[in-house]
Amino acid sequence: MQRKFMIIGALMAMLSVAIGAFGAHLLEPIVGESSMKVYETGVQYHMVHALGIIFVAVAAGFWGDSRKLAWAGWLLFAGIILFSGSLYLLAITGIKPLGIITPFGGVAFMIGWICLMAEAISKKKK
């Protein structure tokens, strides 16, 4: 689990940088300012949660594999796809109904962080 989430987290972080660069250098001249702000929000949440997945991998190294950590990692990953992905598509296409998907990603983020917190709470202080 540790290796899997480290790979996924590093891949997601790299994609966040690439997607951000695409937006800054190629997309900005094409879409309006409000669409660019939506896109940039997607990039910010993408990177923060990629780092969260990496943190899940590190936590698994310290605490060992657990169902809560696995859920945390997969929910953060799903959140990136749903939240950031929907914002990217919304900004690029202008199709407003795509915004319906975004809150599902936000909920996945929150539950993922709750799973990580629950795992930390379950660990006894030595």
Side-chain angles (χ1 to χ4, degrees):
M1 183 174 89
Q2 181 182 12
R3 181 175 178 269
K4 182 185 308 180
F5 283 126
M6 187 61 74
I7 292 167
I8 291 169
L11 176 63
M12 289 295 102
M14 183 276 303
L15 285 174
S16 176
V17 173
I19 290 168
F22 167 78
H25 299 292
L26 298 174
L27 190 61
E28 191 168 19
I30 298 169
V31 301
E33 186 179 332
S34 66
S35 289
M36 212 48 220
K37 287 184 182 198
V38 169
Y39 190 88
E40 289 168 354
T41 298
V43 172
Q44 288 175 328
Y45 277 76
H46 188 149
M47 179 56 84
V48 166
H49 291 87
L51 295 173
I53 295 169
I54 291 169
F55 188 82
V56 167
V58 171
F62 282 109
W63 297 329
D65 292 355
S66 77
R67 289 185 67 205
K68 289 179 206 138
L69 286 177
W71 273 103
W74 289 119
L75 285 165
L76 294 177
F77 180 61
I80 290 171
I81 302 303
L82 296 171
F83 185 91
S84 296
S86 66
L87 291 182
Y88 299 147
L89 289 172
L90 176 61
I92 291 168
T93 67
I95 301 171
K96 300 288 185 204
L98 289 169
I100 294 169
I101 299 167
T102 311
F104 292 103
V107 170
F109 285 150
M110 290 186 283
I111 297 171
W113 288 114
I114 288 169
C115 289
L116 181 59
M117 178 182 64
E119 180 66 18
I121 289 169
S122 74
K123 297 302 172 191
K124 300 279 187 210
K125 187 175 179 181
K126 292 183 182 183

